[in-house]
Amino acid sequence: MIPRTLFDADLEGFRHSVRKFLEQEAAPYHEQWEKDGQVSRELWRKAGELGFLCPTMPEEYGGVGADFRYSAVVIEEVAYAGLTGIGWGLHSDIVAPYILNYGSEEQKQHYLPKLVSGEMVTAIAMTEPGAGSDLQGVKTTAVKNGDHYVLNGSKTFITNGQLADLVIVVAKTDPKAGAKGTSLLLVEAAWDGFEKGQNLNKVGMKAQDTSELFFQDVKVPATHLLGSIEGQGFVQLMQELPAERLQVALSAVAAAEAAWQWTLDYVKERKAFDKPVISFQNTRFKMAEMKAEITAARVFTDRCLELHLDKKLDIPTAAMLKQLTTDLQCKVMDECVQLHGGYGYMWEYPIARAWADSRVQRIYAGTNEIMKEIVARSF
């Protein structure tokens, strides 16, 4: 009803390519990946070959230097298809920018081409058993010892945790300095003392590998510090979080749009009392209400995408966006399950998976309660 003006013909061509790839290379295998608890590494490599990973990466690091709209297309198409096991967004648009924006030239030359190709899968380890949205409460330590750090601690709920070859670890290099003692370290999974715990059994997103990570006296070369000096980690995290929350919003709105369309198709076909479910006023009104709210969320999200492209998306606005769109996503999923009736609760129906998958969106990237607090502090 309201045309999206951000995406030109080239971008729509790219969207078509991503959609076709997902239909052929991901959708037929996603049920098996749910049983496996992770997607295949082959999918990552194929995506890398076609330029679907890290599309914004500059050419000197193996990318094509596209703008973030190309990443947005990938995020949306994965969400439209309900393929929540695919952790490309975190890899391409959270981890890679940390290395690009704060890494040394040596770090960038060594790692970024491998991220673009899919040779290396990445994760970021923030959350701990006792510290979630409160990043200042991180207990993992990295103690300097000559030319390396000794890393000790544990992380949990880490997306891409089982597949990850490289992890950005949030640690305290100066535990007495609070937030100012936080640093980010590049840690390879193959190093001694780095162990991956169990692949966590979640309510939803069952094809997404989400893991515990343990670090026991891991020797991290001092050259693997992100940034020129220690203690920059908290500032780096705060600068990158608006982009992460935009990604969550892009996914949330796309998932809501997909669920609405699945439900429209269903209520047109399904009959109750010898007439289509869509013929009941309650159904039409519920569909109309959802359509209005999703449309409003889409317009807000696209405006925030424009701001991000202009490097003007601020922390409170991104927090509002994340909170609003994920609350709406969960609301839409619940309404759509209800309109599907008993079938909406059956796992083989996409809406059941989408309903289960959506709930975590209000928790990660900062809980929605934290988002409200961020907004309130900006008054």
Side-chain angles (χ1 to χ4, degrees):
M1 295 181 182
I2 297 178
R4 301 182 73 185
T5 56
L6 275 167
F7 301 93
D8 57 23
D10 288 342
L11 278 153
E12 290 305 329
F14 180 70
R15 185 185 295 278
H16 176 76
S17 298
V18 174
R19 183 172 297 178
K20 184 176 180 181
F21 174 82
L22 293 172
E23 288 172 352
Q24 296 177 346
E25 302 292 342
Y29 311 106
H30 207 258
E31 184 175 352
Q32 182 59 49
W33 293 339
E34 287 178 332
K35 296 174 183 176
D36 297 341
Q38 63 185 49
V39 305
S40 69
R41 278 193 173 271
E42 184 182 8
L43 182 77
W44 285 84
R45 289 191 290 270
K46 288 180 178 179
E49 290 173 4
L50 293 172
F52 299 154
L53 300 179
C54 308
T56 63
M57 198 56 57
E59 292 181 14
E60 59 263 38
Y61 304 121
V64 296
D67 65 50
F68 185 75
R69 291 177 300 169
Y70 284 82
S71 289
V73 165
V74 176
I75 293 165
E76 289 178 354
E77 289 304 314
V78 169
Y80 285 138
L83 300 171
T84 53
I86 299 175
W88 295 344
L90 180 135
H91 171 91
S92 298
D93 304 302
I94 297 175
V95 175
Y98 274 105
I99 300 173
L100 178 65
N101 294 335
Y102 308 113
S104 67
E105 188 60 29
E106 181 182 0
Q107 290 169 348
K108 290 187 278 192
Q109 292 286 352
H110 181 70
Y111 287 118
L112 291 178
K114 296 176 182 178
L115 271 59
V116 173
S117 69
E119 179 183 343
M120 294 190 88
V121 175
T122 61
I124 184 165
M126 299 186 198
T127 304
E128 297 182 359
S133 294
D134 177 18
L135 293 175
Q136 298 185 56
V138 165
K139 301 298 183 185
T140 297
T141 59
V143 178
K144 190 76 175 289
N145 184 7
D147 62 354
H148 65 271
Y149 293 93
V150 179
L151 181 66
N152 282 284
S154 63
K155 302 289 182 177
T156 193
F157 310 142
I158 307 305
T159 300
N160 293 345
Q162 290 293 312
L163 288 173
D165 305 295
L166 179 69
V167 181
I168 295 177
V169 179
V170 181
K172 289 290 183 65
T173 46
D174 184 356
K176 297 179 181 179
K180 293 181 179 179
T182 304
S183 299
L184 306 184
L185 298 170
L186 290 170
V187 182
E188 293 191 22
W191 292 347
D192 290 342
F194 185 162
E195 294 187 10
K196 297 175 180 179
Q198 62 178 323
N199 197 6
L200 299 172
N201 186 18
K202 306 180 297 298
V203 170
M205 301 185 79
K206 292 187 176 294
Q208 169 60 248
D209 55 313
T210 308
S211 307
E212 300 171 312
L213 303 179
F214 301 98
F215 311 97
Q216 183 172 355
D217 295 331
V218 180
K219 290 185 177 180
V220 181
T223 55
H224 279 237
L225 177 73
L226 269 182
S228 56
I229 58 174
E230 293 179 4
Q232 297 178 324
F234 196 76
V235 173
Q236 293 165 345
L237 290 166
M238 293 304 102
Q239 289 174 336
E240 296 300 319
L241 280 172
E244 180 178 354
R245 288 162 184 163
L246 171 61
Q247 292 171 51
V248 173
L250 286 164
S251 175
V253 178
E257 288 174 333
W260 187 90
Q261 187 60 55
W262 300 334
T263 304
L264 179 63
D265 294 341
Y266 180 83
V267 297
K268 284 182 175 179
E269 178 184 323
R270 180 71 175 172
K271 289 187 176 181
F273 304 101
D274 294 324
K275 55 184 178 179
V277 174
I278 190 65
S279 66
F280 294 99
Q281 186 184 66
N282 178 71
T283 303
R284 297 197 307 275
F285 280 13
K286 288 292 185 183
M287 294 299 293
E289 289 169 4
M290 287 190 287
K291 184 66 174 178
E293 291 176 316
I294 293 169
T295 300
R298 164 60 65 208
V299 174
F300 182 28
T301 304
D302 279 357
R303 179 60 184 135
C304 287
L305 175 53
E306 288 179 327
L307 290 170
H308 180 62
L309 292 168
D310 292 335
K311 303 187 186 305
K312 294 179 181 178
L313 180 61
D314 61 33
I315 291 173
T317 304
M320 281 191 288
L321 178 70
K322 192 266 181 184
Q323 177 259 314
L324 184 146
T325 55
T326 57
D327 279 353
L328 176 61
Q329 178 186 7
C330 288
K331 176 184 176 182
V332 167
M333 296 305 170
D334 197 64
E335 293 280 17
C336 289
V337 165
Q338 191 72 18
L339 288 170
H340 275 76
Y343 289 104
Y345 205 63
M346 298 297 106
W347 195 249
E348 67 265 26
Y349 275 71
I351 191 60
R353 286 175 159 92
W355 176 72
D357 293 346
S358 67
R359 186 58 182 84
V360 74
Q361 290 263 83
R362 292 160 59 190
I363 298 172
Y364 57 32
T367 66
N368 282 8
E369 289 72 28
I370 295 294
M371 297 304 98
K372 294 172 187 177
E373 183 64 25
I374 290 170
V375 175
R377 289 177 181 178
S378 71
F379 296 165

